[in-house]
Amino acid sequence: MFRRCGHAPGALTPEEQAAVDSFRAMLTALRNPQPWAPGCAQDIAVRIGPFVERAHPRPGDDHGPEMIAVALVHPDTPHAAAYLQGRQLGYTNRGWLRCETTAILGLWQPGYAMLTHAAAGLPLPDNIGMDPAHYTLYIEACKRDDSRDGLTLPRLGPYTQTRHAQQDYDRLTAALDGRELTLVPGCRVSARYAPFDVSDHHLFTDPYEADAVALLAAAVEGVTAK
């Protein structure tokens, strides 16, 4: 062991030298993380349990101070061998994921590769602590008597970028301003974010093919006409 760490006489084999170099690179990366900033558009290192993984931020959806969207990638990307192992270990079938910025160590450095599931030959766990990065907006009319009765008006989704959902949320909030309690008798009308449940896709209206405010007006008209 001492020989492999370079503390004993004799030259290291190429394999041993490569292992020592990788270990030193890992220590350097941990001691000197390269700071990440929203919108930097570079791969990042994120914590997943006791491991560190490489993640690619989704362009246009990497500006959030608390949450961004990322796709996990094999540490040796873009090599062909990495793609094949990435498929085997579950890197390529995750899609875009919601990543809390508190889980970001910094910009990706090759030294982190030793700390990945791939380096350990382990598949990514089913629960990695990141939800799918698809978003929905619910417009709801809730009873004002604090009961759980109410109506779900338009359901918009999935949004593929948070900024698009935010834009529609802002427009809906502005349209509801001062009218929350008058649009539907006995109810408070509001909009809220929620994760997109793909199993309920038939209940949602494609937000990229419809106007959110027009959908709100049509839904309110349909409810009050009954």
Side-chain angles (χ1 to χ4, degrees), residues 166-196:
Q166 183 67 54
Q167 288 169 356
D168 275 356
Y169 177 82
D170 292 342
R171 293 182 63 225
L172 289 167
T173 300
L176 291 170
D177 187 26
R179 305 170 61 206
E180 300 96 331
L181 303 178
T182 60
L183 286 175
V184 178
C187 294
R188 177 188 295 274
V189 179
S190 61
R192 67 177 176 89
Y193 292 107
F196 178 69

Side-chain angles (χ1 to χ4, degrees), residues 62-76:
D62 58 349
H63 292 74
E66 297 179 357
M67 190 82 66
I68 65 173
V70 302
L72 298 181
V73 295
H74 190 281
D76 296 331

Side-chain angles (χ1 to χ4, degrees), residues 44-69:
I44 56 177
V46 298
R47 298 185 193 90
I48 296 181
F51 294 86
V52 175
E53 294 294 343
R54 181 178 180 179
H56 179 69
R58 181 161 61 189
D61 206 10
D62 58 349
H63 292 74
E66 297 179 357
M67 190 82 66
I68 65 173

Side-chain angles (χ1 to χ4, degrees), residues 51-102:
F51 294 86
V52 175
E53 294 294 343
R54 181 178 180 179
H56 179 69
R58 181 161 61 189
D61 206 10
D62 58 349
H63 292 74
E66 297 179 357
M67 190 82 66
I68 65 173
V70 302
L72 298 181
V73 295
H74 190 281
D76 296 331
T77 299
H79 302 297
Y83 178 76
L84 292 175
Q85 189 187 33
R87 291 188 61 183
Q88 296 170 348
L89 300 182
Y91 283 84
T92 61
N93 60 358
R94 300 281 173 165
W96 295 107
L97 302 166
R98 293 165 57 89
C99 176
E100 295 182 0
T101 55
T102 54

Side-chain angles (χ1 to χ4, degrees), residues 108-171:
W108 174 257
Q109 301 182 57
Y112 290 124
M114 286 186 67
L115 305 176
T116 63
H117 286 80
L122 298 173
L124 289 171
D126 292 335
N127 182 9
I128 59 174
M130 296 182 184
D131 295 324
H134 292 142
Y135 312 91
T136 60
L137 287 179
Y138 283 82
I139 306 172
E140 298 172 321
C142 299
K143 294 291 186 180
R144 281 184 276 166
D145 59 5
D146 293 329
S147 69
R148 295 187 178 183
D149 296 331
L151 299 169
T152 297
L153 301 177
R155 304 182 189 193
L156 302 174
Y159 291 90
T160 58
Q161 295 195 348
T162 51
R163 64 188 179 90
H164 295 158
Q166 183 67 54
Q167 288 169 356
D168 275 356
Y169 177 82
D170 292 342
R171 293 182 63 225

